[in-house]
Amino acid sequence: QVQLVESGGGLVQTGGSLRLSCVASGRTFASYAVAWFRQAPEKEREFVAAISWSGRSTTYADSVKEQFTISRDNAKNTVYLQMNSLKPEDTAVYYCAADSNPMHLSRTPNYDYWGQGTQVTVSS
């Protein structure tokens, strides 16, 4: 079993930055692909970014690829999402997801494990 805990969310002004962290339990986390999704109120869960086990492969939603960066530090069992130039439309609960397939990189929410989410609110 893998447990994921997100942190780093909060309230930020338009144009500001946040760095989300996803810390995972388990000694095999380094072999998991990891993704970030987000869900705004009354909207579907939306893919944001994904990263392979090695960090060598990444993919982004078109809406965020110029502003967000996904990375990982397997020694710390942590995946990060650096979010820059934040806009009110980025307001959502952000979820970390992991899959035992190290090259999953799916853009749909079909991952094996999910965190509880962290709220990101971007004010006008």
Side-chain angles (χ1 to χ4, degrees):
Q1 290 293 113
V2 172
Q3 290 188 324
L4 308 173
V5 180
E6 303 97 333
S7 63
L11 177 64
V12 65
Q13 296 181 33
T14 297
S17 298
L18 286 173
R19 188 193 194 196
L20 305 184
S21 297
C22 173
V23 180
S25 64
R27 290 173 291 177
T28 60
F29 180 71
S31 67
Y32 282 63
V34 176
W36 288 95
F37 289 78
R38 66 186 182 185
Q39 189 166 18
E42 300 184 350
K43 292 187 178 180
E44 297 293 320
R45 191 163 296 190
E46 177 188 22
F47 174 79
V48 177
I51 189 167
S52 65
W53 68 273
S54 67
R56 296 191 183 108
S57 297
T58 60
T59 187
Y60 296 89
D62 288 342
S63 60
V64 305
K65 65 181 180 181
E66 299 298 325
Q67 289 80 37
F68 293 5
T69 302
I70 189 170
S71 62
R72 69 190 299 164
D73 185 345
N74 288 339
K76 297 181 179 180
N77 274 6
T78 302
V79 172
Y80 304 98
L81 185 68
Q82 178 67 46
M83 305 186 296
N84 299 324
S85 302
L86 284 165
K87 298 166 285 188
E89 49 262 47
D90 296 317
T91 295
V93 177
Y94 283 71
Y95 297 91
C96 178
D99 200 275
S100 58
N101 182 346
M103 295 295 296
H104 192 53
L105 301 180
S106 176
R107 290 173 173 264
T108 58
N110 61 343
Y111 286 72
D112 293 334
Y113 305 100
W114 292 85
Q116 294 300 307
T118 185
Q119 177 70 49
V120 172
T121 303
V122 184
S123 66
S124 300

